[in-house]
Amino acid sequence: MPLSSDMQTVETHEAETQMDARQIVRRFSLINRERLRRIQACLSDSQKEFLDLLPLLFHTNHPLLPGYVSKNTPFGICDYSPTEKALGVAHKVARSFKRNKRALRSFQIEGLYMMGSSGTVAYSQKSDFDIWVCHRKDLSEQDLNELQQKAESLEKWAAELRLEVHFFVFNAQSFRSGNNEGLSDEHSGSSQYYLLLDEFYRSGVVIAGLPPLWWVVPPEQEHDYSNYVISQNHKRFFSTSDFIDFGGLDQIPAEEFFGATLWHLYKSINSPYKSVLKLMLMEVYADEYPRMDLLSTHYKRAVYGGENNLEALDPYLLMYRKVEEYLMASNDGVRLDFLRKSFYLKINEQLSLDRKNNWRRELLAFMVKSWGWELFQIQRLDKKDEWQLQTVLEERRDLIRTLTQSYRKLSQFARHQASISHISEQDLTILGRRLYSAFEKKAGKIELVNRGITPDLYESQVTLHESQQTGKPTSWLLYSGMVNIEEAQRLTPMKRASSIMDLLSWCHFNKIIGAETLIQCFMRDSELGVREIRTIMNALSELFPAGEIHGSSSSELTDNGRIRQAVLFINVGIKPKVAKLREGEHLASTNNNALSYGGLHENLAISFDLLIETSWQEIFSFHYSGIEGLMEAIGKYLCYETKTNEIPLPPINIRCFTDGYGIVIQNTIEQIFHEASACFCAYDSRNRRYLMESANQYHILQFVNDVPKYYYMKTLTQLIQHLGRTQSEFCSTHLNTNTLNNTPLPEIYRHNLPGKIQVYFRIMQDTAHIYILDEMGSLYYQQQSYHNHPSILNHYSLFLMSIINRREHKLHSADNQRQEFPLEFYECHQKGQNEYIMRPVPYSQQDIPSRYLDVQVICTQGETGQKNVTIYCDGNEFSTVEYGGEVFTAVARHVVKYRNSEAHYPVYITDIDLSETVQPMKNDAELHTSHFLAYKKNIEFHLNKAMSSL
């Protein structure tokens, strides 16, 4: 029975579809073969042999061939038969190798695929190979481990042939599920499925194995990829078993190519000419969103249309053309020029030089002519490795403009799409921080002008000048070549800096001064010489090899910047006074404290230059002078420690090149930084203070509202007064090892605990030295005549317990919770030189004799602001209201009248009650023990003065 016309049409269409599938695979395969030839043409003989042998190494599992792991390693590539070339190379590598001609029962590897610049205009001998090893989905974990080991072994073998090869072992099904982490060194994570696929489909080359199923899905069916494949497979127009399926491409989610933008922006900062093209492609895709014309789809349309010219299908050229068209439509001439320079440098054919002609060179010459470039422009780029600073600065300006504009456009896109995608504010933060950490100017930041623009800027000769102009601070100037003082007046310096370490650090990180650079100096006040400069530059090279800074991960950019490395240079260009006085002679001292050195207690540490490398890929240089500067340097260093940061501050590296004293200075300052770090870091609260001594003067570092604050005291008396200041919360005090060693204070503060009132007394002949630390860590000190231990214990016990009892009653009345304020007594004994021990003295108020002079003081504030004092002595009242300024004399007469002896020994107050109106601290919720002790001392002074005048 004859077929109907409709049925004949259907059968004819199905036959054409089947034929078209075979034809389109043939087209892609011919292009694939030609690109493999182009790859081979760029390789050395040994590298060609590696590529010829590679499929055979995965197709067989022979112990004599490279990459062998064990007899159980998966092998066998689908749809592959070894070529004569491959077998010849195998015999060359292993002469006893024999091919097993029996057909394999199963194939455990579906194919080998190469992606990237291979076979494109962008490929060069420096390019690496990214090769996908796609295995069957049913391999065991042991099989996968052995296959991975084989791939790693072959990477090492390729490296011996001077080939950089990266194998990525996976199966297509897991890839379609989005598990593609680490499939390309050019991508930043597992979320970039579509972009990786887009790049693979336009640039991928089949080395051996099954062709991609994507080839036989027409461009117009891309949006319905899965249904089309199922339908055609069901109709047997093609069999999916003859292909490998990595999945289809329709549209890329906004958050995915935004994530790629993060990665390419990061790479563009340090490799601008290599990465900026891919970054701009992300910008173009964002501009087209949501109907993006993917390059892979453009490539497929061309092949389906019959295009077979490799130049017209070149993946890198397709990318360039797309971005070029976008920039021309935007009338963005600056970025278009940067794009063309990047493209030219990426191809690296150097057209101004006489080289052997090839297809890449011919293509680039044609493009350059179409751009209208002059010969001098080409010569300028061909001499990129010889660029000087001014050229690099010009290029950097264009780079910043290019990256900043891309950032703005993509940020605007991200904020617009945030409501319908998974782009987070954190992603935007990371994107911005990557850019601004590289280019933003900050106080103290060393500007890195040569990020990936030219290999280095090393000068053969440089001159450093110290400049001092009237009314202006000292500055340091760097000149190229040998420049004398007269010439320096009319020449523009390469760089001007406020400190010599700023200048030398800038030279190191921008690769200006190298090991072979000749250096000349013209100094005014500084004692810096070429020898010390060389020593500093060698130290920088040791600490920061080649001037390189570690990259920043996305997780690091979400946190506050932390210190990766900190270095402190001491006395750069400065010689301490003692070294000048003893020129050529080292002054020995048993005192190893560089801040109070020798019999004159000389400070040997004069200037400090702090160099900090942060986790945001930034370098900072800060210059400080004097001990105040040292405290500021410590504070700056400690500011990088955060409570949320689980990574501790790295130890600071101290460098000092002062002749004869460098080690002493280094050890002292290193110890100070270590102690300060231990004092302030790794605690829930920074309410601490660090005390150190220098040349018989005292310095305290304390954090106030998480900001470091510095205090300076000239004398011990001033220090005691400062330590006695009232605190709103408990503040512990930590002393430097070399501070106040001839006093018991270091040992006293080691015993200090919050919430306790601790009384320490030291007896020296007929004098008692009293030290009291209150519940907030404030220090009270007083000297008084010593009669016996009970006299000390009784009067301080009475006074302090009355205050404690009143406070406990007040707190108990307010919240019905009893708060304990323990009172402790210690006697201080000197055990040896600068060594003290504290012995607890057990004491109870029951030990107080029943007959004890009770002197109570009540302080209030009158309506006009004057302070009124009322003193109760054995129940008798004496007040300023009644006696005025003679109140202390009246009390003194009363005390003398009732004493058995006429000796005028001191009067001690047993209790003070202060009205809140005379509270000395504005923001305190309550009065602390230190307040009462201060009033006690003041009133006792006036009372005893009146006693002595009777």
Side-chain angles (χ1 to χ4, degrees), residues 460-673:
S460 58
Q461 296 179 330
V462 295
T463 307
L464 282 76
H465 283 261
E466 181 185 12
S467 174
Q468 279 191 330
Q469 298 180 11
T470 305
K472 295 182 179 180
T474 300
S475 61
W476 296 84
L477 312 178
L478 175 74
Y479 294 89
S480 175
M482 293 302 176
V483 177
N484 61 34
I485 296 176
E486 292 74 21
E487 292 171 327
Q489 302 300 317
R490 53 186 175 80
L491 294 177
T492 302
M494 295 175 65
K495 177 68 176 175
R496 184 187 300 269
S498 59
S499 78
I500 184 60
M501 276 308 303
D502 283 354
L503 191 61
L504 295 181
S505 299
W506 183 87
C507 288
H508 176 69
F509 289 104
N510 286 293
K511 301 181 176 126
I512 305 291
I513 296 179
E516 305 300 321
T517 304
L518 296 177
I519 302 172
Q520 187 175 8
C521 299
F522 289 95
M523 303 292 109
R524 290 183 180 270
D525 292 338
S526 174
E527 301 188 46
L528 186 71
V530 174
R531 177 170 168 265
E532 186 174 356
I533 291 174
R534 277 290 173 206
T535 304
I536 292 169
M537 297 306 293
N538 290 339
L540 289 172
S541 296
E542 177 190 335
L543 296 161
F544 306 94
E548 298 298 328
I549 307 172
H550 298 93
S552 302
S553 66
S554 294
S555 60
E556 287 175 316
L557 289 169
T558 59
D559 297 327
N560 293 327
R562 60 177 178 80
I563 291 181
R564 278 190 175 151
Q565 187 172 192
V567 189
L568 189 71
F569 288 89
I570 305 174
N571 292 350
V572 174
I574 293 176
K575 188 176 291 185
K577 185 191 298 184
V578 66
K580 290 181 181 179
L581 294 175
R582 304 269 183 158
E583 196 75 51
E585 176 187 350
H586 176 62
L587 177 63
S589 174
T590 57
N591 178 9
N592 62 359
N593 180 11
L595 301 185
S596 294
Y597 195 77
L600 298 177
H601 300 283
E602 179 95 25
N603 173 28
L604 301 180
I606 309 301
S607 74
F608 308 90
D609 288 278
L610 178 63
L611 207 60
I612 291 176
E613 176 192 2
T614 77
S615 57
W616 284 17
Q617 209 172 358
E618 295 175 308
I619 293 287
F620 290 91
S621 175
F622 304 100
H623 177 74
Y624 305 100
S625 297
I627 299 303
E628 179 179 356
L630 173 60
M631 303 302 276
E632 290 175 356
I634 296 171
K636 175 65 72 174
Y637 168 73
L638 294 175
C639 276
Y640 281 89
E641 195 275 340
T642 60
K643 297 173 185 175
T644 56
N645 197 339
E646 296 180 358
I647 303 174
L649 282 173
I652 193 161
N653 199 314
I654 310 289
R655 298 297 173 101
C656 180
F657 309 116
T658 301
D659 289 340
Y661 304 96
I663 298 300
V664 173
I665 296 171
Q666 280 184 202
N667 291 342
T668 298
I669 305 303
E670 191 174 74
Q671 183 182 48
I672 289 171
F673 269 85

Side-chain angles (χ1 to χ4, degrees), residues 79 89 99 223 299 404 508 614 657 677 735 783 826 835:
D79 200 23
V89 175
R99 176 191 177 189
H223 69 284
Y299 170 77
T404 302
H508 176 69
T614 77
F657 309 116
S677 296
L735 279 68
Q783 291 185 37
Y826 296 88
E835 186 177 358

Side-chain angles (χ1 to χ4, degrees), residues 27-39 119-121 202 205 299 303 307-318 359 363:
R27 287 183 188 175
F28 275 104
S29 297
L30 287 172
I31 295 167
N32 190 85
R33 185 181 66 190
E34 291 305 310
R35 286 189 59 195
L36 277 171
R37 286 180 180 176
R38 285 193 166 179
I39 294 171
T120 75
V121 69
R202 69 177 186 265
V205 176
Y299 170 77
V303 175
E307 181 65 72
N308 60 6
N309 183 286
L310 288 188
E311 281 77 11
L313 296 172
D314 189 287
Y316 208 84
L317 275 175
L318 289 176
W359 71 272
L363 175 61

Side-chain angles (χ1 to χ4, degrees), residues 692-720:
M692 55 177 276
E693 181 179 351
S694 169
N696 294 327
Q697 297 176 341
Y698 305 93
H699 314 268
I700 286 180
L701 181 67
Q702 186 171 0
F703 278 79
V704 179
N705 297 325
D706 219 32
V707 175
K709 193 169 183 180
Y710 164 72
Y711 303 93
Y712 161 64
M713 284 69 61
K714 286 185 177 181
T715 65
L716 181 60
T717 301
Q718 291 178 350
L719 173 65
I720 296 294

